[in-house]
């Protein structure tokens, strides 16, 4: 045989021996997967799929092809005589179900954790169509309470986990995004409903959230996590064909309601004559005038003031990549118009994330998130010219909308009017808040050796905020010639995290996991305050148009640096018994040099009983785990509490040297406070994992409290001091029940989830002779009450005006028939609910889905200061009984029953009724249909005829039903928002914009 024939024969043999195999690798929804690995088992021969998921490889009959991709189940197929092999890789549901994100973004097996955590995925987060990511947790997580501060756009939301751990400090949990803490502060002050900064996040960018409930769960995070942590994981690019998704929503919102008012009596104030009859002064903003004659046109100012608002939310995202590199890009735009005219909250967000695997050991990633917000607000609460108080100041016979003179000036409706018409204020006296924020993360992940990994993250959270409050004209004496107040705030926060993890098998039964880390956090806040009164030239509303002597300039710089080292050891036995030990040492610049280093540990034990013991006799039991943990976490002092506060007046014409202001005294001997927590729990699954139950009991004690601005006797040389002392105890029980009621192969399913929580927060000790710590920022109308922590009572207590009583507890009535009112603590009041219960149901039939959340809060007290204001102005419905008499229950000085009758007139309601706090403490229990969501997805066969891979339409109703005996508009209230520290103003209803209800209609489409 010649050489040419031999070559041809060998070619034929090779062709038959190694056939050319082609095919396509797809994933969920039959989407192509670029970068999937295709190898011949037992060899180094392999390839990867292209951007369309296609591959080509030479293999002979009998070879085993292995198809694999991160997060998907590996598939192996033996080559026979095929020339085309297509493969669909399924999600590794076992991996996804057992791994959760914990501290610093580290993933762990859930069964190894010795503490309680709870997670939600992106679908659960967005079902209620909330614009504030904090609100997405309402009713969804056991032990977590979220309360809005009203229905004004951009209002803040307060989140607390298992009650409060601080009397005067922040009780907000630490907010983590992709392993890096971000700022969730709220501007202080009660004049405007300020936003909390976590709301800058776009909920559409969130992949999942995990709530680390107690100090044990957040022990590695240290100082800022004494109140727990909320860990958000954002969406990353997914390998496969590029997907372009659009989510658009149109929403309508209206207020839940307005309080009942009287339209029987008109403008005026009562003047009691010596003959016992009344005359009326009509030059008054009060509604204590004479009864209106028949046919008089009356106006309901509250009903007329609020309007139906229409908002738009549009989001576009692009996701794609390969096994080596994945990218996610999103753009979101929210145009949220308010139910109060001229108010709005607009947000534009841009996010870009890329993760690239440079080789088998090194992966790098980068995230950039830019947010721009614009908020237009109006004054609220007790603020001068506040919209609500101004509405109450217009009697029913006055048309509040007739507020302009022909020359464009404000029209008064009585002589010497000293407050502004709310429509004038909204039009002429705007309040705005603008923010530009950048959050970025650079990450490096390196697999140094087998089982040993080094991960480094550097996070940046920087924003520039501009706030402006402008008065172009006013009836308020101090603002008649105009006024301006503004501040520029530059916030910088840098975080550096270095973490090393090592996992190894010590033997067939024992495993060891080690973690060591180092973190540095640098915080810098610079705020420039500018204000001025009286514009020199008309129509120029600028600080430069104010005389120098009427300008005020102030600069505030706050800095903090913290550093910590921490570690964790996890010893596992047969993948069923785990011992976890953590330790962390912090150094904080806000504490004295000799006190700024402090250490705290945690230890926990978790046992999967069903894997350790033979429980085959328990047929219905599929899984049982018990856990217990003890932990300690420290907390440092707020910035600037070590030194006494010095001040000076700086302007063009006057100055003085820096002097102690005589009020705020620093304490150079402050020590860190500590929170100690003990927790036990159990997790069980039954009926082939259809029924699951998670139970937790915890006890938490926070002692050596750092108390800020505590009122002390003037003999000390000051009025307020900062000191260590006092403790809070929280006891609670949580239950999570999940039941897959129906799982029908015909397409019908029904899942139900019940979240139950009960918590009691008690103030166990206070320093010295102090028996209560009240929060001055939460003082309500007429200073009738304020939130307070009460010794031997609730952290969420109340301080207010009560009648003086004798030793027997009987009210002492004076000769005029009235008691004497003094400020007292309410040891019997708790603004925290006795228990909460969230009930979520999800139904699906083929392509249609229905879900709803019903939220129950029981036993919480609400202080209705809005009702107090209505009574004071003579607007409240209860004031229609004016002219009748009553005998106030009580005894005279000699102990005899009171028999002196008093007339229910203006004096009765203003001097007594509206100031007696007991009249306005109410049971605020409620049940609320938080949302109901109906959606329908088109069949894939239909989508194939469209230029879309999937298409879904949805309709959502928000807050459509509230069941309560509360006499106000909404028992779920936090009047002054998240800016009030300590127990805040949860459960205080004080002239805030009512919460809203509404509908959302939208669509989700993927191309």
């Amino acid at each position: 045989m010649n050489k040419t024939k031999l070559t041809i024969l060998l070619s034929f043999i090779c062709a038959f021996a190694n056939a050319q195999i082609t095919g396509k690798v797809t994933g969920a929804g039959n989407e192509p997967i670029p970068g999937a690995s295709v190898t011949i088992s037992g060899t180094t021969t392999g390839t990867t799929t292209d951007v369309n998921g296609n591959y080509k490889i030479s293999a002979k009959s009998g070879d085993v092809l292995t198809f694999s991709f991160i997060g998907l189940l590996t598939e192996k197929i033996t080559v026979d005589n095929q020339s085309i092999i297509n493969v669909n890789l399924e999600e590794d549901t076992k991996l996804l179900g057992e791994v959760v994100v914990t501290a610093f973004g580290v993933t762990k097996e859930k069964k190894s954790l010795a503490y309680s955590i709870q997670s939600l995925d992106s679908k659960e987060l967005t079902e209620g169509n909330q614009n504030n990511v904090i609100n997405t947790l309402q009713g969804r997580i056991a032990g977590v309470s979220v309360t809005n501060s009203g229905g004004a756009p951009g209002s803040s939301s307060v989140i607390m986990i298992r009650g409060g751990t601080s009397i005067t400090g922040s009780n907000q949990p630490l907010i983590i995004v992709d392993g890096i803490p971000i700022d969730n502060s709220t501007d202080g002050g009660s004049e405007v409903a300020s936003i909390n900064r976590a709301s800058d996040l776009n909920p559409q960018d969130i992949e999942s959230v995990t709530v680390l409930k107690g100090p044990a769960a957040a022990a590695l995070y240290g100082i800022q996590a004494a109140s727990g942590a909320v860990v958000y994981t954002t969406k990353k690019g997914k390998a496969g064909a590029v997907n372009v998704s659009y989510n658009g929503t149109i929403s309508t919102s209206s207020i839940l309601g307005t309080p009942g008012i009287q339209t029987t009596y008109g403008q005026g104030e009562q003047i009691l004559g010596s003959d016992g009859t009344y005359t009326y002064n009509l030059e008054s903003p009060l509604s204590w005038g004479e009864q209106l004659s028949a046919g008089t046109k009356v106006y309901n100012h509250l009903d007329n003031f609020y309007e139906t608002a229409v908002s738009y939310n549009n989001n576009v995202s692009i996701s794609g990549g390969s096994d080596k590199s994945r990218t996610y890009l999103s753009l979101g735009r929210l145009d949220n118009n308010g139910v109060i005219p001229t108010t709005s909250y607009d947000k534009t967000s841009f996010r870009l994330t890329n993760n690239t695997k440079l080789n088998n050991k090194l992966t790098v990633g980068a995230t950039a998130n830019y947010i721009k917000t614009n908020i237009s607000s109006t004054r609220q609460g007790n603020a001068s010219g506040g919209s609500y108080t101004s509405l109450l100041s217009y009697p029913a016979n006055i048309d509040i909308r007739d507020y302009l003179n022909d020359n464009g000036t404000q029209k008064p409706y009585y002589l010497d009017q000293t407050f502004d018409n709310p429509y004038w204020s909204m039009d002429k006296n705007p309040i705005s808040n603008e923010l530009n924020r950048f959050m970025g993360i650079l990450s490096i992940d390196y697999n140094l050796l087998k089982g040993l990994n080094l991960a480094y993250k550097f996070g940046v959270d920087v924003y520039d905020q501009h706030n402006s409050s402008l008065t172009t004209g006013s009836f308020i004496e101090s603002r008649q010639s105009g006024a301006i107040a503004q501040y520029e705030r530059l916030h910088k926060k840098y975080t550096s995290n270095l973490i090393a993890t090592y996992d190894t098998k010590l033997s067939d039964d024992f495993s060891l996991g080690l973690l060591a880390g180092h973190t540095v956090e640098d915080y810098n806040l610079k705020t420039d305050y500018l204000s001025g009164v009286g514009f020199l030239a008309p129509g120029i509303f600028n600080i430069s148009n104010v005389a120098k002597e009427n300008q005020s300039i102030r600069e505030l710089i706050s800095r903090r640096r913290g550093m910590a080292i921490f570690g964790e050891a996890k010893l596992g036995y047969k993948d069923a018994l785990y011992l976890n030990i953590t330790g962390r040492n912090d150094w904080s610049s806000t504490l004295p040099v000799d006190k700024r280093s402090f250490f705290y540990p945690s230890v926990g034990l978790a046992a999967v009983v069903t894997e350790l013991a033979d429980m085959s006799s328990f047929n219905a039991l599929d899984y049982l785990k018990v856990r217990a943990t003890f932990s300690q976490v420290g907390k440092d002092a707020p910035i600037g509490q070590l030194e006494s506060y010095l001040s000076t007046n700086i302007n063009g014409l006057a100055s003085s040297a820096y002097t102690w202001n005589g009020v705020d005294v620093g304490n150079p001997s402050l020590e860190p406070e500590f929170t100690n927590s003990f927790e036990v729990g159990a997790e069980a699954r039954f009926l082939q994992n259809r029924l699951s139950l998670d139970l937790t009991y915890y006890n938490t004690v926070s002692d050596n409290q750092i108390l800020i601005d505590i009122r002390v006797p003037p003999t000390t040389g000051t009025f307020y001091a900062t000191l260590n002392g006092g403790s809070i105890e929280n006891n609670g029980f949580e239950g999570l029940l999940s039941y897959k009621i129906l799982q029908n192969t015909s397409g019908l399913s029904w899942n139900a989830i019940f979240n139950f929580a009960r918590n009691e927060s008690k103030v166990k000790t206070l320093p010295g002779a102090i028996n209560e710590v009240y929060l001055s920022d939460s003082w309500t109308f007429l200073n009738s009450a304020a939130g307070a922590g009460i010794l031997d009572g609730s952290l969420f207590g109340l301080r207010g005006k009560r009648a003086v009583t004798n030793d027997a507890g009987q009210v002492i009535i004076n000769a005029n028939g009235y008691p004497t009112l003094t400020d007292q603590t309410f040891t019997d009041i708790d603004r925290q609910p006795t228990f909460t219960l969230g009930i979520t149901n999800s139904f699906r039939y083929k392509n249609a889905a229905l879900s709803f959340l019903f939220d129950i809060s029981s036993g919480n007290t609400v202080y209705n200061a809005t009702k107090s204001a209505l009574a004071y102005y003579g607007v409240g419905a209860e004031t229609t009984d004016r002219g009748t008499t009553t005998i106030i229950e009580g005894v005279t000085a000699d102990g005899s029953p009171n028999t002196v009758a008093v007339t229910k007139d203006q004096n009765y309601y203003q001097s007594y009724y509206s100031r007696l706090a007991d009249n306005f403490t109410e049971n605020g229990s409620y049940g609320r249909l938080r949302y109901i969501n109906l959606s329908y997805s088109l069949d894939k066969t239909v989508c194939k005829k469209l230029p879309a891979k999937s298409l879904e339409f949805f309709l959502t109703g928000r807050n459509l039903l509230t069941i309560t005996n509360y006499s106000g508009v909404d028992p779920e209230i936090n009047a002054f928002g998240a800016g009030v520290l300590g127990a805040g103003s949860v459960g205080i209803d004080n002239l805030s914009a009512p919460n809203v209800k509404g509908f959302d209609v939208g669509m989700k489409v993927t191309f």
Side-chain angles (χ1 to χ4, degrees):
M1 183 179 294
N2 61 36
K3 186 175 180 180
T4 301
K5 291 181 179 180
L6 179 61
T7 301
I8 294 173
L9 178 60
L10 289 175
S11 299
F12 273 109
I13 294 174
C14 290
F16 282 106
N18 292 284
Q20 194 78 357
I21 308 295
T22 61
K24 190 172 187 177
V25 179
T26 57
N30 291 319
E31 293 297 317
I33 301 178
S37 175
V38 184
T39 60
I40 299 176
S41 298
T43 73
T44 58
T45 303
T47 185
T48 57
T49 56
D50 62 19
V51 293
N52 296 314
N54 296 318
Y55 73 93
K56 182 186 297 184
I57 191 171
S58 296
K60 65 180 182 295
S61 180
D63 283 345
V64 177
L65 297 184
T66 300
F67 301 85
S68 62
F69 192 78
I70 295 175
L72 302 178
L73 291 173
T74 298
E75 185 82 15
K76 292 188 177 183
I77 296 178
T78 302
V79 177
D80 195 357
N81 295 318
Q82 315 100 308
S83 60
I84 299 176
I85 299 178
N86 295 322
V87 176
N88 182 266
L89 300 182
E90 298 179 354
E91 282 188 331
D92 190 346
T93 54
K94 180 180 178 181
L95 176 66
L96 296 174
E98 294 183 353
V99 174
V100 293
V101 178
T102 61
F104 296 99
V106 176
T107 57
K108 296 181 181 179
E109 286 185 291
K110 186 177 181 181
K111 68 178 183 179
S112 71
L113 302 180
Y115 47 79
S116 172
I117 68 169
Q118 197 171 339
S119 300
L120 299 174
D121 60 26
S122 58
K123 182 179 183 299
E124 294 171 307
L125 283 170
T126 56
E127 273 184 334
N129 282 307
Q130 294 285 351
N131 296 324
N132 188 329
V133 294
I134 298 299
N135 292 343
T136 62
L137 302 179
Q138 287 177 319
R140 306 301 298 264
I141 306 290
V144 175
S145 65
V146 179
T147 314
N148 299 328
S149 59
S155 297
S156 63
S157 293
V158 175
I159 175 174
M160 291 189 186
I161 302 176
R162 295 180 175 177
T165 60
S166 180
I167 298 175
T168 62
S170 174
N171 283 310
Q172 302 286 295
L174 183 64
I175 305 297
I176 309 292
V177 178
D178 294 332
I180 296 295
I182 69 165
D183 179 59
N184 185 35
S185 62
T186 302
D187 294 344
S190 59
E191 184 173 277
V192 175
S194 300
I195 199 166
N196 57 293
R197 292 268 62 99
S199 65
D200 294 335
L201 296 173
N202 184 353
Q204 297 295 330
D205 287 335
I206 306 300
E207 181 69 33
S208 65
V209 58
T210 300
V211 178
L212 308 181
K213 296 181 182 179
L220 291 180
Y221 276 124
I223 292 175
Q224 300 174 74
S227 299
V230 180
V231 180
Y232 290 98
T233 301
T234 63
K235 294 178 179 178
K236 307 296 189 294
K238 294 182 178 180
V242 175
N243 285 328
V244 179
S245 299
Y246 167 77
N247 187 321
T249 306
I250 301 176
S251 305
T252 62
S253 299
S254 58
I255 58 172
L256 291 177
T258 55
I261 64 171
Q262 66 84 15
T263 56
T264 304
Y265 298 89
Q267 179 184 5
E269 58 183 357
Q270 295 176 339
I271 301 174
L272 180 62
S274 57
D275 60 354
T277 61
Y278 294 100
T279 58
Y280 298 92
N281 173 25
L282 297 182
E283 301 301 321
S284 169
L286 302 175
S287 295
W288 290 103
E290 294 185 276
Q291 186 169 344
L292 298 173
S293 59
T296 301
K297 188 172 183 179
V298 295
Y299 306 89
N300 189 321
H301 305 310
L302 293 175
D303 283 350
N304 295 337
F305 184 68
Y306 300 101
E307 59 187 18
T308 299
V310 180
S311 301
Y312 307 91
N313 195 353
N314 295 281
N315 293 273
V316 177
S317 65
I318 302 174
S319 173
S322 66
D323 202 16
K324 299 292 184 181
S325 181
R326 291 171 288 172
T327 300
Y328 175 83
L329 171 68
S330 73
L331 179 64
R333 173 66 185 182
L334 170 66
D335 295 279
N336 183 11
N337 297 310
V339 292
I340 301 175
T342 74
T343 61
S344 63
Y345 170 46
D346 299 329
K347 177 171 68 175
T348 302
S349 62
F350 172 82
R351 187 175 191 87
L352 175 62
T353 299
N354 177 267
N355 292 279
T356 299
K357 187 175 182 180
L358 298 180
N359 53 48
N360 291 333
K361 291 188 174 183
L362 181 62
T363 301
V364 296
T367 297
N369 191 189
Y370 170 75
I371 304 108
K372 181 179 180 61
T373 66
N374 290 276
I375 303 175
S376 296
S377 306
T378 184
R379 292 178 176 85
Q380 66 167 17
N382 301 330
S384 299
S387 59
Y388 214 119
T389 50
S390 296
L391 289 168
L392 300 184
S393 302
Y394 277 78
N397 59 308
I398 303 297
D399 186 1
I400 194 172
R401 290 167 292 191
D402 181 20
Y403 66 96
L404 284 177
N405 292 312
D406 292 338
N407 62 358
T409 59
Q410 185 178 183
K411 179 190 294 186
Y413 73 94
Y414 73 96
L415 295 176
D416 300 322
Q417 183 174 331
T418 56
F419 60 91
D420 293 325
N421 183 294
Y423 291 92
W424 166 273
S425 294
M426 291 185 299
D427 187 32
K428 304 295 183 180
N429 302 333
I431 300 174
S432 63
N433 188 302
E434 300 177 6
L435 175 132
N436 290 279
R437 185 175 188 178
F438 175 80
M439 291 182 286
I441 299 175
L442 294 176
S443 62
I444 301 174
D445 191 274
Y446 188 70
N447 294 315
L448 186 63
L449 300 170
K450 182 180 180 180
L452 178 60
N453 177 268
L454 295 178
Y456 177 76
K457 284 187 177 181
F458 180 77
V460 177
D461 184 3
V462 178
Y463 62 79
D464 176 37
Q465 183 180 3
H466 174 77
N467 182 280
S468 175
S469 177
L470 178 64
T471 303
T472 63
S474 176
F475 287 143
I476 300 172
E477 183 176 359
S478 61
R479 305 176 186 171
Q480 288 181 353
S481 56
I484 187 171
Q486 60 188 42
Y487 64 77
E488 295 280 350
R489 175 169 295 162
L490 181 59
H491 170 280
K492 299 178 182 179
K493 187 174 184 179
Y494 305 103
T495 305
S496 170
N497 291 335
L498 176 62
I499 298 175
T501 56
Y502 179 69
D503 293 286
T504 186
K505 293 285 290 184
L506 300 177
S507 66
D508 290 341
D509 291 335
F510 288 93
S511 62
L512 178 65
L514 300 175
L515 181 149
H518 175 268
T519 184
V520 177
E521 185 178 274
D522 189 87
Y523 171 86
N524 191 314
L525 181 66
K526 177 179 177 291
T527 309
D528 295 321
Y529 297 90
L530 306 174
S531 63
V533 178
F535 294 113
L536 297 175
I540 303 176
F541 306 117
N542 189 284
I543 188 69
S544 61
N545 191 33
V546 176
K548 294 292 185 182
E549 61 269 22
N550 293 328
Q551 294 181 16
S552 176
I553 303 173
R554 185 164 63 99
E555 182 180 71
L556 178 65
I557 298 176
S558 299
R559 294 175 179 170
R560 177 190 174 277
R561 176 165 291 179
M563 185 180 74
I565 55 174
F566 51 88
E568 178 183 41
K570 180 182 69 176
L571 180 64
Y573 173 70
K574 292 187 175 181
D575 290 331
L577 182 64
Y578 300 92
L579 175 65
N580 295 274
I581 300 174
T582 72
R584 176 170 169 134
N585 197 96
D586 276 287
W587 290 264
S588 172
S589 64
T590 67
L591 290 168
V593 174
D594 59 337
K595 305 286 180 61
R596 62 181 46 167
S597 173
F598 48 100
F599 174 82
Y600 41 89
S602 79
V603 58
L605 185 67
V608 183
V609 180
T610 46
E611 295 185 16
L612 289 172
D614 181 10
M615 305 193 71
S616 57
S617 58
F618 298 90
N619 296 327
L621 181 64
D622 302 305
Y623 177 85
L624 176 63
K625 169 189 165 184
V626 293
R627 60 179 190 267
T629 184
F630 170 81
S631 64
Q632 185 181 72
V633 63
K635 183 184 289 187
D636 61 351
I639 296 172
Q641 298 301 318
L642 302 183
E643 303 295 334
S644 298
Y645 179 60
L646 303 178
S647 64
T648 184
N649 182 21
I650 303 175
N651 59 47
L653 299 178
S655 65
S656 62
Y658 284 97
T659 59
W660 175 41
N661 69 355
V663 177
D664 299 300
V665 179
N667 186 345
S669 300
L670 285 179
E671 300 177 351
E673 63 181 66
F674 288 94
T675 294
N676 301 287
S677 179
F678 173 71
E679 175 184 321
V680 293
E683 302 167 36
R685 294 197 291 266
F686 307 88
L687 306 176
Q688 296 180 339
N689 295 323
R690 288 179 58 188
L691 177 66
S692 63
L693 181 65
D694 190 333
L695 302 175
T696 304
Y697 168 79
Y698 60 87
N699 175 271
T700 300
V701 177
S702 303
D703 55 17
N704 204 35
Q705 293 270 311
I706 299 175
L707 304 178
I708 310 298
D709 289 343
I710 298 300
R711 188 178 291 271
V712 294
T715 53
T716 61
T718 184
F719 295 102
Y720 299 99
T722 297
L723 47 88
N724 283 106
S727 63
I728 300 171
E729 182 178 27
N730 283 276
N731 279 292
F733 174 80
E734 297 166 356
L736 171 63
L737 176 66
S738 179
Y739 187 25
K740 299 177 181 178
I741 301 173
L742 289 177
Q743 298 293 310
N744 196 311
T745 55
S746 64
L748 177 63
S749 65
W750 176 14
N751 297 332
I753 300 174
F754 300 84
N755 287 296
F756 175 87
R758 176 185 174 90
N759 182 79
E760 186 177 40
S761 297
K762 293 291 184 181
V763 180
K764 304 298 289 186
T765 62
L766 287 174
I770 299 173
N771 66 354
E772 50 89 19
V773 177
Y774 71 87
L775 307 166
S776 58
D777 286 344
S778 67
W779 274 116
T780 58
F781 181 78
L782 295 177
N783 288 347
S784 59
I790 311 299
L791 180 63
D792 295 325
S794 174
L795 173 64
F796 299 87
L798 201 69
R799 179 185 196 263
K801 296 189 183 300
R802 269 185 166 171
V804 174
T805 60
N806 58 24
D807 293 339
Q810 298 169 306
V811 174
I812 300 174
I813 305 297
N814 301 319
N816 62 0
Y818 289 98
T820 299
L821 303 182
T822 59
D823 288 323
Q824 302 177 36
T825 58
F826 290 30
T827 57
D828 55 340
I829 293 296
D830 192 349
R831 293 178 283 123
Q832 184 178 230
T834 304
F835 73 85
T836 59
L837 176 63
I839 305 172
T840 306
N841 279 267
S842 302
F843 304 86
R844 175 171 288 278
Y845 180 70
K846 295 184 178 179
N847 296 335
L850 174 69
S851 62
F852 68 85
L853 168 61
F854 193 79
D855 199 5
I856 297 173
S857 176
S858 178
N860 52 298
T861 296
V862 176
Y863 184 73
N864 193 349
T866 300
K867 187 176 181 179
S868 167
L870 289 166
Y872 180 89
Y873 280 98
V875 178
E878 69 269 31
T879 65
T880 54
D881 66 355
R882 60 190 69 180
T884 63
T885 60
T886 186
I887 297 176
I888 299 174
E889 185 177 350
V891 298
T892 60
D894 62 3
S896 303
N898 175 45
T899 59
V900 178
V902 295
T903 302
K904 290 187 173 182
D905 56 8
Q906 180 178 340
N907 178 66
Y908 169 86
Y909 278 103
Q910 290 190 337
S911 301
Y912 168 69
Y913 180 85
S914 62
R915 297 177 186 270
L916 182 63
D918 287 304
N919 290 328
F920 311 105
T921 54
E922 302 185 41
N923 186 334
S925 301
Y926 66 87
R928 169 162 291 169
L929 183 61
R930 186 74 62 185
Y931 70 80
I932 181 167
N933 183 282
L934 176 65
S935 64
Y936 183 82
S937 301
L938 293 184
D939 281 325
K940 292 188 180 296
T941 54
V942 177
C943 289
K944 287 181 179 179
K945 300 177 182 179
L946 304 172
K949 296 177 182 177
S950 64
L951 179 59
E952 177 184 309
F953 299 95
F954 62 87
L955 173 66
T956 303
R958 293 172 281 107
N959 298 335
L960 298 184
L961 173 66
T962 301
I963 303 171
T964 182
N965 290 324
Y966 178 60
S967 66
V969 174
D970 187 9
E972 185 192 11
I973 187 66
N974 188 330
F976 304 108
V980 182
L981 299 177
S985 59
V986 172
I988 294 180
D989 184 347
N990 188 66
L991 303 167
S992 300
N995 271 316
V996 297
K997 59 184 177 181
F999 292 94
D1000 313 304
V1001 59
M1003 63 177 293
K1004 303 174 184 176
V1005 58
T1006 301
F1007 300 96

